[in-house]
Amino acid sequence: MRTHVTELGPDGERRHEDRLATEEPLEIRLAWPGVAAHRVWVTMRTPGHDFELAAGWLTHEGLADPGDISTVAYCTDATLTPEQEFNVVTVTLAGRPRSDVGHRHASAATGSSACGVCGKDSVGAVLDVVRGRRWQGPAPDAGVVRRLPEALSGQQTVFARTGGVHAAGLFTASGRALSVREDVGRHNAVDKVTGARVLAGQPPEEAFLVVSGRAGFELVQKAVAAGVGALVAVGAPTSLSVQLAREAGLALFGFTSSDRCVRYA
């Protein structure tokens, strides 16, 4: 979005046009045979690739396997205002969800663009992580790992214009990008990457998931759920993210640049 700003520098004020990353709420509704669509999550996100975000979120939360999703569509509820029309996505499953929707994903559940595990009811629920099918490829090569942040950065077109979004990308063992997505929420970017694979009928497990920021617990959680072999972050991990990565057998790299990387798990 374009906006007018006043830049304050040592030589005085300069008024000019700037661009902002768009942030709007997205409501995800879930339906399956015999059950009408109902809200299961609301998150703040950058509009775009909304169907992928919804499919990836359901996969990471353990509510659906890739083959369970029948349709994904914007809601046509007559009560929605024009502003809400493209901020509500309904996912219809072929059967019942894989896990209970009623407790962890109550209809009032909401999240921010900052944290992927907001709304969980207890520490125990947070640590009860969905485990996806493990990637069975070769061990990470350090030379490839160090090249990945630059490869991700080269596809961050929204960040280049606004400086206000995170990025995530799925890469092969040789360092080839399969899917790169940007979003104001780092966890949303990861959901979109996984969702892109799911909706394309491709397995979400691959060699590397690369993120532009830190390796917080919620990102390790999603990497484990997707079944990727390694999570590569530009920033630092946290104590809990390292613990989960080690328990799950996920290779975890932080402080990754062309010069070095630090392996934590």
Side-chain angles (χ1 to χ4, degrees):
M1 295 181 62
R2 289 184 170 87
T3 187
H4 292 282
V5 300
T6 301
E7 184 175 337
L8 308 176
D11 299 325
E13 298 183 359
R14 184 172 71 93
R15 293 178 174 83
H16 61 90
E17 187 179 81
D18 202 355
R19 297 192 180 196
L20 302 175
T22 305
E23 183 176 30
E24 293 182 358
L26 178 71
E27 177 178 324
I28 300 175
R29 296 181 181 180
L30 191 61
W32 60 90
V35 176
H38 58 286
R39 182 175 64 188
V40 292
W41 187 247
V42 178
T43 187
M44 301 303 296
R45 99 303 187 189
T46 301
H49 305 289
D50 292 332
F51 294 176
E52 295 175 356
L53 195 164
W57 182 82
L58 289 169
T59 301
H60 292 147
E61 290 294 312
L63 291 171
D65 283 346
D68 295 340
I69 297 174
S70 293
T71 61
V72 187
Y74 286 111
C75 186
T76 57
D77 194 326
T79 63
L80 295 179
T81 66
E83 293 77 16
Q84 295 172 317
E85 185 177 355
F86 293 107
N87 286 333
V88 180
V89 167
T90 299
V91 182
T92 302
L93 303 180
R96 291 186 57 81
R98 296 279 173 168
S99 61
D100 179 33
V101 182
H103 180 56
R104 285 196 350 183
H105 311 98
S107 61
T110 59
S112 73
S113 56
C115 173
V117 294
C118 296
K120 299 298 175 65
D121 297 286
S122 68
V123 173
V126 169
L127 294 175
D128 184 17
V129 175
V130 176
R131 308 288 172 111
R133 184 172 59 184
R134 292 277 297 278
W135 187 73
Q136 299 298 318
D141 178 82
V144 175
V145 170
R146 290 193 298 269
R147 294 197 302 268
L148 293 174
E150 185 175 354
L152 180 70
S153 177
Q155 300 193 45
Q156 292 180 236
T157 57
V158 179
F159 180 83
R161 295 196 302 270
T162 67
V165 293
H166 297 278
L170 194 65
F171 289 78
T172 67
S174 65
R176 179 173 60 89
L178 298 173
S179 176
V180 174
R181 296 289 183 265
E182 296 178 274
D183 198 278
V184 68
R186 56 172 59 89
H187 61 288
N188 289 339
V190 175
D191 286 340
K192 289 178 178 181
V193 165
T194 294
R197 299 285 286 179
V198 168
L199 294 182
Q202 300 166 330
E205 65 267 16
E206 199 33 89
F208 298 110
L209 175 64
V210 187
V211 294
S212 59
R214 64 182 178 85
F217 173 83
E218 72 277 10
L219 301 190
V220 172
Q221 180 187 43
K222 291 177 185 294
V224 171
V228 298
L231 176 62
V232 179
V234 173
T238 65
S239 60
L240 197 58
S241 66
V242 172
Q243 176 185 333
L244 175 57
R246 290 174 178 174
E247 289 177 355
L250 173 75
L252 177 60
F253 297 86
F255 295 111
T256 309
S257 68
S258 58
D259 298 324
R260 69 162 189 151
C261 61
V262 180
R263 182 165 182 168
Y264 292 87

mmCIF file of all heavy atoms in Angstrom, residues 141-174:
data_model
loop_
_atom_site.group_PDB
_atom_site.id
_atom_site.type_symbol
_atom_site.label_atom_id
_atom_site.label_comp_id
_atom_site.label_asym_id
_atom_site.label_seq_id
_atom_site.Cartn_x
_atom_site.Cartn_y
_atom_site.Cartn_z
ATOM 1 N N ASP A 141 24.321 -30.625 3.419
ATOM 2 C CA ASP A 141 25.674 -30.246 3.049
ATOM 3 C C ASP A 141 25.909 -28.802 3.471
ATOM 4 O O ASP A 141 25.134 -27.908 3.115
ATOM 5 C CB ASP A 141 25.871 -30.387 1.543
ATOM 6 C CG ASP A 141 27.259 -29.966 1.106
ATOM 7 O OD1 ASP A 141 28.180 -30.789 1.221
ATOM 8 O OD2 ASP A 141 27.403 -28.812 0.653
ATOM 9 N N ALA A 142 26.985 -28.555 4.233
ATOM 10 C CA ALA A 142 27.229 -27.227 4.787
ATOM 11 C C ALA A 142 27.384 -26.173 3.699
ATOM 12 O O ALA A 142 26.953 -25.021 3.865
ATOM 13 C CB ALA A 142 28.476 -27.255 5.671
ATOM 14 N N GLY A 143 28.004 -26.536 2.579
ATOM 15 C CA GLY A 143 28.165 -25.581 1.488
ATOM 16 C C GLY A 143 26.838 -25.130 0.923
ATOM 17 O O GLY A 143 26.639 -23.942 0.618
ATOM 18 N N VAL A 144 25.901 -26.055 0.790
ATOM 19 C CA VAL A 144 24.565 -25.710 0.300
ATOM 20 C C VAL A 144 23.832 -24.856 1.334
ATOM 21 O O VAL A 144 23.197 -23.847 0.992
ATOM 22 C CB VAL A 144 23.755 -26.975 -0.024
ATOM 23 C CG1 VAL A 144 22.330 -26.611 -0.424
ATOM 24 C CG2 VAL A 144 24.422 -27.776 -1.135
ATOM 25 N N VAL A 145 23.930 -25.248 2.595
ATOM 26 C CA VAL A 145 23.257 -24.508 3.663
ATOM 27 C C VAL A 145 23.658 -23.037 3.648
ATOM 28 O O VAL A 145 22.808 -22.139 3.739
ATOM 29 C CB VAL A 145 23.570 -25.133 5.039
ATOM 30 C CG1 VAL A 145 23.076 -24.226 6.175
ATOM 31 C CG2 VAL A 145 22.932 -26.514 5.160
ATOM 32 N N ARG A 146 24.948 -22.762 3.512
ATOM 33 C CA ARG A 146 25.420 -21.374 3.560
ATOM 34 C C ARG A 146 24.927 -20.547 2.369
ATOM 35 O O ARG A 146 24.845 -19.320 2.452
ATOM 36 C CB ARG A 146 26.951 -21.350 3.627
ATOM 37 C CG ARG A 146 27.516 -21.856 4.952
ATOM 38 C CD ARG A 146 28.992 -21.511 5.091
ATOM 39 N NE ARG A 146 29.803 -22.145 4.053
ATOM 40 C CZ ARG A 146 30.377 -23.345 4.183
ATOM 41 N NH1 ARG A 146 30.212 -24.046 5.288
ATOM 42 N NH2 ARG A 146 31.113 -23.834 3.194
ATOM 43 N N ARG A 147 24.580 -21.186 1.278
ATOM 44 C CA ARG A 147 24.099 -20.456 0.096
ATOM 45 C C ARG A 147 22.601 -20.139 0.164
ATOM 46 O O ARG A 147 22.102 -19.301 -0.597
ATOM 47 C CB ARG A 147 24.364 -21.269 -1.177
ATOM 48 C CG ARG A 147 25.824 -21.468 -1.507
ATOM 49 C CD ARG A 147 25.997 -21.897 -2.966
ATOM 50 N NE ARG A 147 25.277 -23.129 -3.293
ATOM 51 C CZ ARG A 147 25.804 -24.344 -3.217
ATOM 52 N NH1 ARG A 147 27.058 -24.502 -2.812
ATOM 53 N NH2 ARG A 147 25.099 -25.414 -3.553
ATOM 54 N N LEU A 148 21.882 -20.811 1.029
ATOM 55 C CA LEU A 148 20.424 -20.735 0.997
ATOM 56 C C LEU A 148 19.841 -19.362 1.366
ATOM 57 O O LEU A 148 18.896 -18.900 0.706
ATOM 58 C CB LEU A 148 19.819 -21.826 1.889
ATOM 59 C CG LEU A 148 20.053 -23.255 1.387
ATOM 60 C CD1 LEU A 148 19.549 -24.269 2.403
ATOM 61 C CD2 LEU A 148 19.381 -23.470 0.034
ATOM 62 N N PRO A 149 20.335 -18.668 2.400
ATOM 63 C CA PRO A 149 19.749 -17.354 2.692
ATOM 64 C C PRO A 149 19.841 -16.369 1.526
ATOM 65 O O PRO A 149 18.899 -15.616 1.269
ATOM 66 C CB PRO A 149 20.568 -16.869 3.896
ATOM 67 C CG PRO A 149 21.009 -18.119 4.570
ATOM 68 C CD PRO A 149 21.313 -19.074 3.437
ATOM 69 N N GLU A 150 20.953 -16.375 0.813
ATOM 70 C CA GLU A 150 21.083 -15.485 -0.341
ATOM 71 C C GLU A 150 20.114 -15.891 -1.448
ATOM 72 O O GLU A 150 19.518 -15.030 -2.115
ATOM 73 C CB GLU A 150 22.513 -15.515 -0.869
ATOM 74 C CG GLU A 150 22.762 -14.523 -2.000
ATOM 75 C CD GLU A 150 24.208 -14.478 -2.435
ATOM 76 O OE1 GLU A 150 25.044 -15.130 -1.779
ATOM 77 O OE2 GLU A 150 24.507 -13.792 -3.429
ATOM 78 N N ALA A 151 19.942 -17.200 -1.630
ATOM 79 C CA ALA A 151 18.984 -17.675 -2.635
ATOM 80 C C ALA A 151 17.566 -17.260 -2.265
ATOM 81 O O ALA A 151 16.770 -16.884 -3.131
ATOM 82 C CB ALA A 151 19.082 -19.193 -2.771
ATOM 83 N N LEU A 152 17.243 -17.302 -0.972
ATOM 84 C CA LEU A 152 15.922 -16.861 -0.510
ATOM 85 C C LEU A 152 15.764 -15.358 -0.702
ATOM 86 O O LEU A 152 14.736 -14.886 -1.202
ATOM 87 C CB LEU A 152 15.738 -17.231 0.964
ATOM 88 C CG LEU A 152 14.403 -16.834 1.603
ATOM 89 C CD1 LEU A 152 13.267 -17.684 1.046
ATOM 90 C CD2 LEU A 152 14.478 -16.985 3.125
ATOM 91 N N SER A 153 16.787 -14.612 -0.324
ATOM 92 C CA SER A 153 16.729 -13.151 -0.418
ATOM 93 C C SER A 153 16.490 -12.687 -1.846
ATOM 94 O O SER A 153 15.795 -11.689 -2.076
ATOM 95 C CB SER A 153 18.036 -12.554 0.111
ATOM 96 O OG SER A 153 18.046 -11.151 -0.021
ATOM 97 N N GLY A 154 17.037 -13.414 -2.811
ATOM 98 C CA GLY A 154 16.868 -13.033 -4.202
ATOM 99 C C GLY A 154 15.442 -13.098 -4.690
ATOM 100 O O GLY A 154 15.120 -12.523 -5.739
ATOM 101 N N GLN A 155 14.561 -13.777 -3.940
ATOM 102 C CA GLN A 155 13.162 -13.896 -4.338
ATOM 103 C C GLN A 155 12.210 -13.143 -3.407
ATOM 104 O O GLN A 155 10.998 -13.318 -3.491
ATOM 105 C CB GLN A 155 12.772 -15.372 -4.414
ATOM 106 C CG GLN A 155 13.595 -16.162 -5.418
ATOM 107 C CD GLN A 155 12.997 -17.529 -5.713
ATOM 108 O OE1 GLN A 155 11.792 -17.672 -5.914
ATOM 109 N NE2 GLN A 155 13.839 -18.541 -5.733
ATOM 110 N N GLN A 156 12.756 -12.295 -2.534
ATOM 111 C CA GLN A 156 11.927 -11.536 -1.602
ATOM 112 C C GLN A 156 11.517 -10.197 -2.226
ATOM 113 O O GLN A 156 11.971 -9.133 -1.832
ATOM 114 C CB GLN A 156 12.693 -11.313 -0.291
ATOM 115 C CG GLN A 156 12.920 -12.591 0.502
ATOM 116 C CD GLN A 156 13.690 -12.335 1.786
ATOM 117 O OE1 GLN A 156 14.736 -12.919 2.037
ATOM 118 N NE2 GLN A 156 13.157 -11.461 2.635
ATOM 119 N N THR A 157 10.617 -10.265 -3.178
ATOM 120 C CA THR A 157 10.231 -9.067 -3.927
ATOM 121 C C THR A 157 9.414 -8.082 -3.093
ATOM 122 O O THR A 157 9.564 -6.868 -3.240
ATOM 123 C CB THR A 157 9.431 -9.463 -5.178
ATOM 124 O OG1 THR A 157 8.292 -10.241 -4.777
ATOM 125 C CG2 THR A 157 10.293 -10.299 -6.127
ATOM 126 N N VAL A 158 8.553 -8.588 -2.218
ATOM 127 C CA VAL A 158 7.742 -7.694 -1.385
ATOM 128 C C VAL A 158 8.626 -7.007 -0.346
ATOM 129 O O VAL A 158 8.480 -5.816 -0.068
ATOM 130 C CB VAL A 158 6.599 -8.462 -0.699
ATOM 131 C CG1 VAL A 158 5.778 -7.527 0.195
ATOM 132 C CG2 VAL A 158 5.693 -9.110 -1.733
ATOM 133 N N PHE A 159 9.572 -7.741 0.223
ATOM 134 C CA PHE A 159 10.495 -7.142 1.183
ATOM 135 C C PHE A 159 11.328 -6.050 0.529
ATOM 136 O O PHE A 159 11.603 -5.008 1.136
ATOM 137 C CB PHE A 159 11.418 -8.215 1.768
ATOM 138 C CG PHE A 159 12.401 -7.678 2.777
ATOM 139 C CD1 PHE A 159 12.028 -7.495 4.097
ATOM 140 C CD2 PHE A 159 13.694 -7.342 2.395
ATOM 141 C CE1 PHE A 159 12.929 -6.976 5.027
ATOM 142 C CE2 PHE A 159 14.604 -6.828 3.321
ATOM 143 C CZ PHE A 159 14.215 -6.648 4.633
ATOM 144 N N ALA A 160 11.726 -6.273 -0.705
ATOM 145 C CA ALA A 160 12.530 -5.279 -1.413
ATOM 146 C C ALA A 160 11.784 -3.964 -1.560
ATOM 147 O O ALA A 160 12.395 -2.888 -1.554
ATOM 148 C CB ALA A 160 12.937 -5.819 -2.779
ATOM 149 N N ARG A 161 10.454 -4.029 -1.674
ATOM 150 C CA ARG A 161 9.653 -2.815 -1.847
ATOM 151 C C ARG A 161 9.239 -2.186 -0.522
ATOM 152 O O ARG A 161 9.039 -0.970 -0.452
ATOM 153 C CB ARG A 161 8.397 -3.115 -2.666
ATOM 154 C CG ARG A 161 8.676 -3.529 -4.105
ATOM 155 C CD ARG A 161 7.423 -3.433 -4.958
ATOM 156 N NE ARG A 161 6.332 -4.251 -4.460
ATOM 157 C CZ ARG A 161 6.119 -5.521 -4.807
ATOM 158 N NH1 ARG A 161 6.959 -6.122 -5.641
ATOM 159 N NH2 ARG A 161 5.098 -6.182 -4.330
ATOM 160 N N THR A 162 9.084 -3.009 0.528
ATOM 161 C CA THR A 162 8.506 -2.497 1.776
ATOM 162 C C THR A 162 9.409 -2.654 2.996
ATOM 163 O O THR A 162 9.286 -1.892 3.951
ATOM 164 C CB THR A 162 7.186 -3.229 2.095
ATOM 165 O OG1 THR A 162 7.460 -4.610 2.409
ATOM 166 C CG2 THR A 162 6.226 -3.168 0.912
ATOM 167 N N GLY A 163 10.272 -3.665 3.005
ATOM 168 C CA GLY A 163 11.088 -3.941 4.187
ATOM 169 C C GLY A 163 10.276 -4.439 5.364
ATOM 170 O O GLY A 163 10.759 -4.449 6.495
ATOM 171 N N GLY A 164 9.029 -4.883 5.128
ATOM 172 C CA GLY A 164 8.133 -5.192 6.236
ATOM 173 C C GLY A 164 7.576 -6.595 6.274
ATOM 174 O O GLY A 164 6.550 -6.810 6.928
ATOM 175 N N VAL A 165 8.198 -7.549 5.587
ATOM 176 C CA VAL A 165 7.662 -8.907 5.593
ATOM 177 C C VAL A 165 8.776 -9.928 5.808
ATOM 178 O O VAL A 165 9.952 -9.656 5.578
ATOM 179 C CB VAL A 165 6.928 -9.241 4.269
ATOM 180 C CG1 VAL A 165 5.667 -8.421 4.115
ATOM 181 C CG2 VAL A 165 7.852 -9.041 3.074
ATOM 182 N N HIS A 166 8.369 -11.107 6.261
ATOM 183 C CA HIS A 166 9.260 -12.248 6.395
ATOM 184 C C HIS A 166 9.143 -13.128 5.142
ATOM 185 O O HIS A 166 8.218 -12.971 4.344
ATOM 186 C CB HIS A 166 8.890 -13.081 7.624
ATOM 187 C CG HIS A 166 9.043 -12.332 8.914
ATOM 188 N ND1 HIS A 166 10.246 -12.187 9.556
ATOM 189 C CD2 HIS A 166 8.122 -11.698 9.692
ATOM 190 C CE1 HIS A 166 10.088 -11.492 10.670
ATOM 191 N NE2 HIS A 166 8.803 -11.181 10.776
ATOM 192 N N ALA A 167 10.073 -14.051 5.019
ATOM 193 C CA ALA A 167 10.032 -14.980 3.893
ATOM 194 C C ALA A 167 10.361 -16.383 4.366
ATOM 195 O O ALA A 167 11.062 -16.583 5.362
ATOM 196 C CB ALA A 167 11.010 -14.558 2.799
ATOM 197 N N ALA A 168 9.837 -17.360 3.635
ATOM 198 C CA ALA A 168 10.159 -18.766 3.858
ATOM 199 C C ALA A 168 10.246 -19.437 2.499
ATOM 200 O O ALA A 168 9.560 -19.040 1.550
ATOM 201 C CB ALA A 168 9.096 -19.451 4.717
ATOM 202 N N GLY A 169 11.110 -20.418 2.403
ATOM 203 C CA GLY A 169 11.265 -21.118 1.135
ATOM 204 C C GLY A 169 11.579 -22.586 1.341
ATOM 205 O O GLY A 169 12.236 -22.954 2.322
ATOM 206 N N LEU A 170 11.082 -23.407 0.436
ATOM 207 C CA LEU A 170 11.377 -24.836 0.451
ATOM 208 C C LEU A 170 12.391 -25.107 -0.655
ATOM 209 O O LEU A 170 12.176 -24.723 -1.809
ATOM 210 C CB LEU A 170 10.094 -25.642 0.215
ATOM 211 C CG LEU A 170 10.145 -27.129 0.524
ATOM 212 C CD1 LEU A 170 10.371 -27.367 2.021
ATOM 213 C CD2 LEU A 170 8.862 -27.826 0.087
ATOM 214 N N PHE A 171 13.501 -25.766 -0.289
ATOM 215 C CA PHE A 171 14.597 -25.993 -1.217
ATOM 216 C C PHE A 171 14.970 -27.470 -1.263
ATOM 217 O O PHE A 171 14.839 -28.190 -0.256
ATOM 218 C CB PHE A 171 15.835 -25.195 -0.791
ATOM 219 C CG PHE A 171 15.715 -23.716 -0.985
ATOM 220 C CD1 PHE A 171 14.982 -22.933 -0.092
ATOM 221 C CD2 PHE A 171 16.339 -23.082 -2.054
ATOM 222 C CE1 PHE A 171 14.869 -21.563 -0.261
ATOM 223 C CE2 PHE A 171 16.232 -21.713 -2.239
ATOM 224 C CZ PHE A 171 15.503 -20.951 -1.341
ATOM 225 N N THR A 172 15.469 -27.904 -2.418
ATOM 226 C CA THR A 172 15.951 -29.269 -2.577
ATOM 227 C C THR A 172 17.333 -29.406 -1.947
ATOM 228 O O THR A 172 17.967 -28.419 -1.553
ATOM 229 C CB THR A 172 16.043 -29.651 -4.060
ATOM 230 O OG1 THR A 172 17.069 -28.855 -4.673
ATOM 231 C CG2 THR A 172 14.716 -29.423 -4.773
ATOM 232 N N ALA A 173 17.836 -30.642 -1.903
ATOM 233 C CA ALA A 173 19.150 -30.903 -1.326
ATOM 234 C C ALA A 173 20.259 -30.215 -2.106
ATOM 235 O O ALA A 173 21.322 -29.922 -1.551
ATOM 236 C CB ALA A 173 19.403 -32.415 -1.269
ATOM 237 N N SER A 174 20.030 -29.931 -3.376
ATOM 238 C CA SER A 174 21.030 -29.243 -4.183
ATOM 239 C C SER A 174 20.920 -27.723 -4.091
ATOM 240 O O SER A 174 21.729 -27.005 -4.670
ATOM 241 C CB SER A 174 20.905 -29.677 -5.652
ATOM 242 O OG SER A 174 19.656 -29.255 -6.190
#
